Each structure stands twice: as structure tokens, then as C-alpha cells.
Amino acid sequence: MGFTLDKVVPWGRSYVEYVDMFDLTAEDLERRILGCGDGPAAFNAELTKRGGTAVSVDPIYTFDVEQIRCRITETYDTVMAQMRENQGDYVWNAIASVEELGCIRMRAMNTFLSDYGAGKGSGRYVAGSLPSLPFERLSFDLVLSSHFLFLYSIHLSAEFHLQALREMLRVAREVRVFPVLSLDGAASPHLTYVTTALADDGCTVELRRVSYEFQRGGNEMLVITQG
Ligand SMILES: C[S@@+](CC[C@H](N)C(=O)[O-])C[C@H]1O[C@@H](n2cnc3c(N)ncnc32)[C@H](O)[C@@H]1O
């Protein structure tokens, strides 16, 4: 059976969150950036508007704008209820409350939805699934993965993570992943396996502290650079 939308809970972060999670400098923002698993995040739309170069790849881009909009509407209340229930797992500084979070996420997802048709037409939103990417070797300068790898460590094996990261390193020399925690807030059980294997491949692997922390304790990104 193919990928179906009824298993997906679309929840997209803002441009500013991406900049903070990945510590993106003005220089980084001029690079050719690929976002893996960007879903309904606003990063691609906003960076494009600012003159940057972004492509996003995600299995949900098989669907059209109305299908994605419907799924966001269907799932929004459930996500908000879960956030209220688990408030203690998050740091309420930059985002002060669950209500504010809901507004920020909806604004980001509406930015995505407004851009999606045009962006899909021009090849900025590409349907695809890790661990394989439909791009030529070194098509990008930097690959980002926000809230997909490591976060779903219970569902995705260590081998999946390694294959996905090697594939990301095929299409760009540098990969950044945020966070390195799994859904339960603990460090991903796959982190050591993956970082050891990539270091053995000759990559430089670094855990770098960033200014962004929303999931409690989630303030580090993994930076992998080809040797
Ligand atoms: C929690 S969302 C994160 C969205 C966005 N990166 C953000 O931080 O706001 C996880 C995303 O991963 C996507 N995804 C699921 N399986 C994937 C795969 N095999 N390869 C790439 N993306 C995948 C989902 O469709 C979803 O959009």
C-alpha cells in the first residue's frame, strides 16, 4: 500500500524556528538548501521570498493543497489537546503558551499552503521519501532535517537513520539534523551507532549547541560534514 495521508499529522515550523534550530547564518542562507521532511513548514516559502534557494522533499507532497489543508484542519484540535496534556515536556520561553504555539504553527502552515502550488510547479516541493532522494550527487550545499530523524527513533531503525544520512551526504557536503532527542525527550538510542559509522566513513561529526529549545533538553543539532 502507498503512503496515505490519514497516518500523517501535519505540523509545520516557522522560518525563524528553522534559522534558530539550525543556527543558520546569513552566509548559510545564501547556500542551496534541501529540507528533508519539511512537511507544511514555512522555511521554503519564506526563504524563497527572501531570495534564497530552497527545495523541500516529503512524502506528503504527493497530495494536493486541499488534501493537505483538510488534514491540517482535521488533526489540529488533537495536536493542541496533546500539547496541553504534555505542557511540562516543553520550555515556554520564546513561545509563551499552547495558544501562542497554535497561532505560530497555523501561521507557518498557512504560509506553506499559500506557496505550495507555485512551489510544486517550480520544483521546490518534491514528493519523495528517505532513505532515498530523487536528486543528483552534490545538487545542494546543505541538507536540513527538522523533527524527523532521531525524533521517531522508536519507529525508524538505526540502519534507516544511517542510510538516510549517507543519502543526504550524497546530495550535499553538509547535513544538519535537529533535534537529536526522540519523542520521549531522551537522547536517541541510534545516535552513537550513526555518528560512529559516519566518522568511520571519514565524515566530521559534531554535536553543536543552538539557541533554540522547545522540547525540554532539545538544544543540540548534529552537524555532519564530508571529509
Ligand atoms: C514532525 S514533521 C516535521 C515537519 C517540519 N520539518 C518541521 O520541523 O516543521 C515530520 C515530517 O516528516 C515527513 N516524513 C515522513 N516520512 C518521511 C520519509 N521517509 N522521508 C522524508 N520525510 C518523511 C512527514 O511527512 C512530516 O512532514
Side-chain angles (χ1 to χ4, degrees), residues 88-220:
D89 297 342
Y90 298 89
V91 176
W92 300 98
N93 288 340
I95 301 171
S97 64
V98 175
E99 286 62 40
E100 190 185 330
L101 175 75
C103 293
I104 291 172
R105 291 285 184 272
M106 273 318 295
R107 202 180 310 131
M109 292 192 280
N110 282 327
T111 299
F112 160 81
L113 290 170
S114 306
D115 180 54
Y116 182 58
K120 208 171 170 183
S122 61
R124 283 190 292 108
Y125 295 107
V126 178
S129 297
L130 286 167
S132 77
L133 292 171
F135 305 109
E136 296 291 316
R137 192 177 163 270
L138 300 182
S139 313
F140 300 93
D141 303 309
L142 175 62
V143 181
L144 306 177
S145 163
S146 156
H147 293 85
F148 173 58
L149 290 177
F150 299 122
L151 193 62
Y152 297 100
S153 290
I154 301 167
H155 309 92
L156 303 168
S157 69
E159 200 48 46
F160 174 93
H161 279 73
L162 184 55
Q163 272 184 36
L165 287 163
R166 282 183 174 147
E167 176 69 346
M168 290 153 88
L169 286 159
R170 183 183 66 77
V171 303
R173 286 197 191 283
E174 184 179 340
V175 171
R176 300 184 191 181
V177 185
F178 183 95
V180 293
L181 304 183
S182 39
L183 281 172
D184 62 3
S188 163
H190 305 325
L191 191 58
T192 305
Y193 171 78
V194 162
T195 52
T196 305
L198 292 171
D200 287 347
D201 288 350
C203 297
T204 304
V205 182
E206 182 198 350
L207 270 178
R208 198 184 298 168
R209 180 92 182 248
V210 295
S211 62
Y212 184 92
E213 181 180 356
F214 183 50
Q215 187 185 15
R216 199 172 285 288
N219 57 6
E220 284 182 316

Side-chain angles (χ1 to χ4, degrees), residues 67-105:
Q67 289 172 307
I68 300 176
R69 192 194 308 279
C70 267
R71 190 64 194 151
I72 291 171
T73 310
E74 265 168 27
T75 53
Y76 180 79
D77 288 344
T78 311
V79 179
M80 289 294 282
Q82 281 169 359
M83 289 304 304
R84 273 188 208 99
E85 208 173 300
N86 300 308
Q87 271 185 68
D89 297 342
Y90 298 89
V91 176
W92 300 98
N93 288 340
I95 301 171
S97 64
V98 175
E99 286 62 40
E100 190 185 330
L101 175 75
C103 293
I104 291 172
R105 291 285 184 272

